[in-house]
Amino acid sequence: MSPDKPWLDTNLDADARARALIERLTLDEMITLIHGPMPNLIQGEKPADALTGAGYIGGVPRLDIPALNETDASLGVTNPRRVRPDDGATGLPGGLALGSTWDPHLAYEGGAMVGREAWAKGFNVLLGGGCNLTRDPRCGRNFEYLSEDPLLSGVLAGQAVKGAQSNHIVCTVKHFALNDQETCRHVVDARIDEAALRESDLLAFQIAIEIGDPGSVMCAYNRVNGEWCGENDFLLNKVLKQDWDWRGWVMSDWGAVHSTAKAALAGMDQESGYQLDKQVYFGPELMKTAVEQGEVPFERLTDMVHRILRSMIDKGLFDHPPEPTEPDYDANGDISQAAAEAGIVLLKNDGVLPLGEGLRKIAIIGAHADVGVLSGGGSSQVIPVGGPAIEKRVSMGPSSAFSSITYFPSSPMAAIRDRAQNVAVRFASGEDKAEAVELARDCDVAIVFADQWCTEAEDVPTLSLPNGQDEVIAAVAAIAPKTVVVLETGIPVVMPWLDQVNAVLEAWYPGTRGGEAIGRILFGEVSPSGRLPISFPRSVDDLVRPEIPGMIFGPPVEGQTIPTSYPDVQQHKGRFSVEHPEGADVGYRWYDRSGAKPLFPFGFGLTYTRFAHGGLELAGGETVTASFDITNTGERAGIETAQVYARIAGRQRLVGWARVALEPGETQRVSVTAEPRLLASYDVSVPGWRIDGGPVEVWVGTDAETAVLKGEAVLTARTMKP
Ligand code: BGC
């Protein structure tokens, strides 16, 4: 290290190194660092150091500042429009599958794996870390998010970010905040009370940021309480930078910048994918003028650049630049498979599962189970190594510009065949009901695969399975001796045939090795352990908003499995509001409030063994610690996720959980300490979190509706910083 390059001195802290650079940067160079294009849409010659990923921010070579090469996202390294020919990646199972694991360790491992592949492919920024709450179960991006609960989402997203950043890259959390519907995401104004926002979506982000310390946060497209997220002084300056004392930089979502001075003054630090904005608001013309005319104080520009450089240095981008290498796809596939196996949720089982001896004929029906498993569409779409099993372009609708219906080449049927020696395993596509029924008539067990494609940019207008699959399942169940349904859905679905079938597995989008994971669960090589991170409604009528605000139904589109929604920006004159009267009562808390019963509650999931719980001891004070025994009383090894709930301000809340693997007959005593903010209310007059002292109802549940141990703890009154 040369002494005249203090920014390369690893003995100095990241702030000092960033300051040393800022002293030497020209105004033009500073502006280079705060805006960038989508590399695919660069007109003319592409900079030599730009990879074809989601975003690019030029560096300053004379000062050793590397360019930022940004790739999506949480579920694997993407390859938008397959611009890097033959460059596949390992696909993790969808976010709700990861959420179903309730396993911080798997979230870390998954994030670390994606980060490792990103770095090996030359990227130094991973646009992962989606942690919006699944506030509406029909949100088209729920498959990228983790859960309806702030604690579960925050812990898992934080661990995933931490894992990703263990590879000398910056990871984001996104989309900040309240981007909880895709319909009209570019115009919707989500309106919510501050305390409710702090106790729900913001708490998920807050916990994720505390655990993961992301170098960057990506703002959302929508408005919150009247202001664009990218111009939202309350969200960016007040909450993120002041209250939470977070030191990283705010990048915009692609096409989410609407101004220069207003955005910069509200706390936006960098404009991403500027070709999608009306003007290059943070570029050489507008930003330079704004700084020269004092509309954006030079100190603000310096702060923007400082935040970017500090994060880059802090996360290792200067000291450990990416070294392109071939990822170990086999080992990475193992990580994805482990997450899929832990994330598959057994929703019903009358004893037909696990499949075992005595089978002669298995009928497999539907969802292209002969060749692969479904994945979700949009910017998070991973192209699997070796290419997809099936890829259908979408011809219409908001997602058609960038989405294809993609099946990963991991065949559930092959995995079943491998485990069913001397059994006739036959397949029907499910497109022809009569053919499916014929196959089902002549089998010992029918396994019906049903799927539902979801994509960024569109919500799903209905909770019903598309393309007549409900009828096929019912018809098969009426004729087959036993029927098992395997769902590959991006969101919860209703199940009009539930009473007629013998078992139901929710496999979500199960990732690169999804077929294998499903096979292992079906045959009992692994006991299912997934627990729902999202309530399954009985009907849209039980939701806060039975109709998705702003959705205008279009005709069904050929080749597309969902009716297309046309969130018509013109029709809403560029602006419309969605009230959130549910406030922080999202998901199971809404059911608690409304009294409606879900089809399957949050936290629910069956397994092949049984558990007993006992010996509850509760300690109160500044927080609550619940200690209790869990015993595996069945004949197989299994994993129990015991959930600790408390009733605070009249409402049920998850305050912690314990996930333990137990051999048959084994007992383990666990101790769960509540995250104190879940025991508090947010009080804007403090301002901060306020725990009302006194007795509080606490219970251990196997899901949000089933309490197995109950008690009371006494809390000490106190307040905590925002
Ligand atoms: C998405 C982001 C993504 C970005 C870059 C946007 O449309 O909302 O999540 O990271 O595109 O691809």
Side-chain angles (χ1 to χ4, degrees), residues 172 288 313 352 396 426 512 528 558 609:
T172 60
K288 198 168 174 183
I313 294 165
V352 62
M396 280 174 73
R426 290 178 297 155
T512 282
E558 197 197 322
T609 186

Side-chain angles (χ1 to χ4, degrees), residues 24-35:
R24 291 159 175 88
L25 282 169
T26 65
L27 179 58
D28 288 333
E29 287 168 339
M30 284 185 164
I31 288 174
T32 299
L33 296 174
I34 61 165
H35 77 290

Side-chain angles (χ1 to χ4, degrees), residues 38 53-55 70-73 78 80 127-128 141 144-145 172 174-175 179 182 185-186 218-221 251-255 272 276 378-380 402 456:
M38 294 168 76
E70 303 170 334
T71 178
D72 287 303
T78 64
L127 308 170
R141 277 188 113 167
E144 290 185 58
Y145 302 142
T172 60
K174 68 186 188 183
H175 308 86
N179 184 178
E182 287 296 285
R185 63 180 177 166
H186 289 283
M218 189 191 295
C219 84
Y221 284 125
M251 67 165 73
S252 73
D253 201 340
W254 275 230
S272 321
L276 298 186
S379 63
S380 70
F402 59 111
E456 175 181 342

